[in-house]
Amino acid sequence: MPNVPPPLPPDFRTLAVLLDVDGTILDLAPTPLEVSVPDTLRDTLMRLRERTGGAVAFVSGRPVGELDRIFSPLEFPCIGGHGAELRTKAGALPQAPRLPPLDRDVKRRFAEIAQASPGIVLEDKGYSFALHYRLAPEQERMVHERAAAICASLDALPLELLPGKLVVEIKQRGFTKATAVRELMTYPPFAGRRPVFLGDDVTDLGVFDILPDYDGIGISVGRDVPGIRNRFERPIDVRGWLEKISRSDAFATS
C-alpha cells in the first residue's frame, strides 16, 4: 500500500505533533539498546519544534529518562512508560508517576520465560516489563502462552498484557498512552490544538481512537488501522515526511 500523507494547514501553530518512537520515527533494532537516532532526525525535530512553537512530544513505552538518553541532547515533552510518566515542558522533570513501579516479583516471574531461549531479550521499563523475541521468532507461541498463564495466575493484581511487534509486555492497568495524551492536551502549548499522531503498534490504537475528540489527524506506520486513512510504510518514510514539513509551507488547508 503506498504512503498516504495527510494534508496539513499552513499554520503549524494550530497543530500538536505527537510521535511514537520505536517503529514509527526510529527503525526497530534486534534489541532495544541497539536503536539509533540519525543526526538528521535531531535537526528535523528541532526545526519542527520551532515551527510548532514547541508543540512536539514523544509518546512512548520507554521511560522518559531513556528517551532523553536516546535523543540527547534533545529533551522534548514526553509521555513515557505507556502513560505512567508525563513531562509537559521540554527539559523539565516529569510529573509524579501515575503508578508505582511494577512489582519485582512479577518482573522475576516474567523474566523466567527468557530462560527458554538465549534469543529472548528482557527489557525492564520500570512501570512495565517486556519480552522481546525478535532474535528468536520461533518462540512466539511459547512466550505468549507462558506470559498469558502467568498473568492469569496473578488475577488479583491489576495487570494486562500488551502484544507488539515480536514483543509481549506486562503492565499495570489504569494508564495508557491515550489517557496521558488527554492530559497532555490540557497543557500549553498543546491545549486547543489539533493533534497529529503517528504510531505503529497495538499500544497506539487507543490514541487513534481519541483523535476525533480533538479533530485530530492520525497517521499509521506499517499497518492498516480502521478509520485511519493516512499512513507510511516505514520509519524512513516518516522521517522523510517530517523533514519536509519541518521546512516547507506548501500544504493544502484542511
Side-chain angles (χ1 to χ4, degrees), residues 175-215:
F175 62 92
T176 65
K177 289 181 177 181
T179 60
V181 165
R182 284 196 183 278
E183 185 172 353
L184 178 66
M185 294 300 295
T186 67
Y187 290 92
F190 301 92
R193 299 195 182 204
R194 297 179 67 192
V196 179
F197 175 68
L198 290 89
D200 76 303
D201 215 338
V202 174
T203 59
D204 301 314
L205 297 180
V207 182
F208 287 126
D209 288 342
I210 68 170
L211 290 179
D213 296 345
Y214 302 90
D215 191 27

Side-chain angles (χ1 to χ4, degrees), residues 115-130:
Q115 297 176 9
S117 171
I120 301 174
V121 177
L122 307 177
E123 183 183 14
D124 187 346
K125 301 181 181 182
Y127 307 99
S128 64
F129 194 83

Side-chain angles (χ1 to χ4, degrees), residues 16-19 57-62 64 67 77-89 94-99 127 160 171-188 190-191 195 197 203-208 210-211 213-214:
V17 180
L18 311 179
L19 303 167
F58 298 131
V59 181
S60 177
R62 292 181 184 262
V64 170
L67 293 170
C78 290
I79 289 168
H82 297 294
E85 295 183 315
L86 176 64
R87 179 169 67 199
T88 61
K89 294 183 179 179
Q95 297 178 357
R98 274 72 186 137
L99 289 171
Y127 307 99
E160 63 179 331
K171 67 178 281 291
Q172 300 171 85
R173 297 183 185 273
F175 62 92
T176 65
K177 289 181 177 181
T179 60
V181 165
R182 284 196 183 278
E183 185 172 353
L184 178 66
M185 294 300 295
T186 67
Y187 290 92
F190 301 92
F197 175 68
T203 59
D204 301 314
L205 297 180
V207 182
F208 287 126
I210 68 170
L211 290 179
D213 296 345
Y214 302 90

